[in-house]
Amino acid sequence: MSRTPFLFDLDGTLIDSVYQHVLAWKEALEAEGVTLSIWRIHRKIGMSGGLLAQVFLRETGLEISEKRLERLYQHHAEAFHRHHSQIAVRPLPGACQLLGYLTEQGIPWAIATSGQIETARPSLVTLGIDPDKITLVTRDQVRHAKPDPDLFVTAAERLGVDIRQSLVIGDSIWDMLAAQRARALGIGVLSGGYSQGELEQAGALRVYADPAGLLHHIDEVSARD
Amino acid sequence: MSRTPFLFDLDGTLIDSVYQHVLAWKEALEAEGVTLSIWRIHRKIGMSGGLLAQVFLRETGLEISEKRLERLYQHHAEAFHRHHSQIAVRPLPGACQLLGYLTEQGIPWAIATSGQIETARPSLVTLGIDPDKITLVTRDQVRHAKPDPDLFVTAAERLGVDIRQSLVIGDSIWDMLAAQRARALGIGVLSGGYSQGELEQAGALRVYADPAGLLHHIDEVSARD
């Protein structure tokens, strides 16, 4: 039997960047006059930026014009970059080791992120990965954003594997919903700040603290030869 | 029968400041060479700064010297202030209305915060409260920090009410544990970023989105005359 493929989310799953994104969105929304509580932004993170912004604007009843969305993206990117310069975005514990282990074992893996290629690239470099040498799917390459399974389905296609035989590893309930919708198995990590219960309720088969926890218990979800 | 007293936590319960505190602690810890994942900091917030810093240092095996703790506090305060200047700390939805309602109804209420008086004061002003005109207990006024019930017990004493007849309203599991330890009833709010399940598991009788949610459902936990 072929080895179980691993399809990873990026922010909050492999790199420790969720909280910086949350405050960057908060700042961008405030600039548009939207005073959404910060925990509500946190719970929407993991959707793509575009979908996220539309949900925020819809929930607060503001008009969703192209111009306003464009301003939101730009402000978010600028604020995130500023946080980044104060607090270096680091790999989550075990992230590099887990990817190294999979590569070594010949287990197919890919990264499917709701972010754009421009923001994903520096994150991958942080992980010691050459973006051109791995299977990477970014938001700009697919039609629908998470929780639509498009990103993970495309990642599986590029690996030449069956999504229904794959694991989807993510920190947000949107990853877990996408996994279910694609008939993959969802594996949750707590490192994005969702709780174990929330991830399990969204369909996670197992939940670990972070990539180190998953690597430590990898026999629970993937057979060794 | 006398009216049920309300004992409130401040950060994450009445004002939207948890995520700024999280990143400020992250920055302070990084400066000391401690690379703790951000979600782990989030899940410790609500303890007092002093206890928090000691827990972080103990968990990472660093020596807990007075000097190091002092540097941590100062860096955290400076970083929090910087975030504050970029993203105004706002009252959570319904916070002012809830306190106004209690005052109007003659229901005793107090605020018991793990923060120091210097950081609590501007937050109270944000809520439109004169710190000198309410019952307020800060970390520097009690011996033990949350999850020890000292802060809430002292608040009840100052109000002249029985803690065992009181409600403790907080966003963190530390508030809920303190409530249980004092034989008060814990009421959770999601506005600090903990999940409903985590708060319920820590003993919350009921969990609402934020102060607006509590005010909307106040008959569930407190009798009207």
Side-chain angles (χ1 to χ4, degrees):
Chain A
M1 187 186 148
S2 65
R3 318 295 299 272
T4 309
F6 282 63
L7 311 176
F8 290 96
D9 168 58
L10 181 57
D11 290 284
T13 300
L14 295 171
I15 59 163
D16 199 5
S17 55
V18 164
Y19 289 78
Q20 295 92 322
H21 275 299
V22 169
L23 282 191
W25 278 115
K26 173 68 179 172
E27 203 181 311
L29 288 163
E30 286 268 326
E32 293 295 318
V34 181
T35 55
L36 213 57
S37 302
I38 304 179
W39 71 280
R40 290 189 189 272
I41 299 174
H42 183 192
R43 287 312 196 270
K44 289 289 194 299
I45 289 273
M47 290 186 171
S48 82
L51 196 51
L52 192 80
Q54 287 188 35
V55 170
F56 292 150
L57 295 178
R58 197 181 313 126
E59 287 188 359
T60 49
L62 270 169
E63 193 213 341
I64 308 169
S65 68
E66 274 303 312
K67 248 190 184 160
R68 173 164 272 150
L69 282 177
E70 189 49 43
R71 278 202 307 269
L72 267 173
Y73 299 155
Q74 286 199 354
H75 198 131
H76 165 265
E78 182 270 316
F80 181 74
H81 196 77
R82 185 156 21 81
H83 284 296
H84 197 124
S85 68
Q86 270 154 18
I87 305 176
V89 171
R90 294 185 187 280
L92 281 158
C96 303
Q97 293 85 337
L98 176 58
L99 297 181
Y101 169 83
L102 297 176
T103 303
E104 202 183 283
Q105 297 285 311
I107 298 172
W109 61 270
I111 296 175
T113 174
S114 297
Q116 308 285 321
I117 182 69
E118 303 87 56
T119 47
R121 194 171 278 276
S123 301
L124 293 169
V125 171
T126 306
L127 286 166
I129 288 171
D130 180 342
D132 300 322
K133 290 194 176 153
I134 65 157
T135 303
L136 168 71
V137 188
T138 53
R139 176 65 186 96
D140 38 304
Q141 295 167 1
V142 297
R143 175 126 181 227
H144 301 293
K146 297 177 196 172
D148 188 286
D150 212 355
L151 274 157
F152 294 117
V153 169
T154 305
E157 278 170 8
R158 293 215 191 140
L159 286 175
V161 301
D162 185 347
I163 182 82
R164 293 165 305 177
Q165 303 295 326
S166 303
L167 300 178
V168 162
I169 300 95
D171 68 299
S172 84
I173 60 170
W174 315 115
D175 297 310
M176 298 303 105
L177 294 183
Q180 297 273 302
R181 286 166 68 175
R183 307 298 187 274
L185 290 178
I187 306 295
V189 284
L190 299 175
S191 36
Y194 278 87
S195 70
Q196 175 151 352
E198 288 170 291
L199 294 168
E200 286 172 350
Q201 279 166 27
L205 176 70
R206 298 293 283 159
V207 177
Y208 303 101
D210 48 30
L214 169 53
L215 180 56
H216 190 66
H217 297 280
I218 199 155
D219 298 297
E220 296 181 359
V221 295
S222 161
R224 285 181 206 260
D225 274 340
Chain B
M1 186 185 147
S2 65
R3 318 294 299 271
T4 308
F6 283 62
L7 312 176
F8 290 96
D9 167 58
L10 181 57
D11 290 284
T13 300
L14 295 172
I15 59 162
D16 199 5
S17 55
V18 164
Y19 288 79
Q20 295 91 322
H21 275 299
V22 170
L23 283 190
W25 277 115
K26 173 67 178 170
E27 204 180 310
L29 288 163
E30 287 267 326
E32 293 295 318
V34 180
T35 55
L36 213 57
S37 301
I38 304 180
W39 72 279
R40 291 190 188 272
I41 300 175
H42 184 193
R43 287 312 195 269
K44 290 289 194 297
I45 290 272
M47 290 186 171
S48 80
L51 194 53
L52 192 79
Q54 287 188 35
V55 169
F56 291 150
L57 295 178
R58 198 181 312 127
E59 287 188 0
T60 50
L62 271 169
E63 194 213 342
I64 307 169
S65 68
E66 275 302 313
K67 247 189 185 161
R68 173 164 273 151
L69 282 177
E70 189 49 44
R71 277 201 309 269
L72 266 174
Y73 299 154
Q74 287 200 353
H75 197 131
H76 165 264
E78 183 269 316
F80 181 73
H81 196 76
R82 185 155 22 82
H83 284 296
H84 197 123
S85 69
Q86 268 154 18
I87 305 176
V89 171
R90 293 184 187 280
L92 281 159
C96 304
Q97 293 84 338
L98 176 58
L99 298 180
Y101 170 83
L102 297 176
T103 302
E104 202 184 283
Q105 296 286 313
I107 298 172
W109 61 270
I111 295 175
T113 173
S114 298
Q116 308 283 323
I117 182 69
E118 303 87 57
T119 46
R121 195 171 278 277
S123 301
L124 293 169
V125 171
T126 306
L127 285 166
I129 289 171
D130 180 342
D132 301 322
K133 291 194 175 154
I134 64 157
T135 304
L136 168 70
V137 188
T138 53
R139 175 66 186 95
D140 38 304
Q141 296 168 1
V142 296
R143 176 126 181 228
H144 300 293
K146 297 177 196 172
D148 188 286
D150 212 356
L151 275 157
F152 293 117
V153 169
T154 305
E157 278 170 10
R158 293 214 191 140
L159 285 176
V161 301
D162 185 346
I163 182 82
R164 293 166 305 178
Q165 303 294 327
S166 303
L167 301 178
V168 162
I169 301 94
D171 68 300
S172 84
I173 60 170
W174 315 115
D175 297 311
M176 298 303 105
L177 294 182
Q180 297 273 302
R181 286 167 67 175
R183 307 300 187 273
L185 289 179
I187 305 295
V189 283
L190 299 175
S191 37
Y194 278 87
S195 69
Q196 175 151 352
E198 289 171 290
L199 294 167
E200 286 172 351
Q201 279 166 27
L205 176 70
R206 297 293 283 160
V207 177
Y208 303 101
D210 49 30
L214 169 52
L215 180 56
H216 190 66
H217 297 280
I218 200 154
D219 298 296
E220 295 181 0
V221 296
S222 161
R224 286 181 205 260
D225 274 339

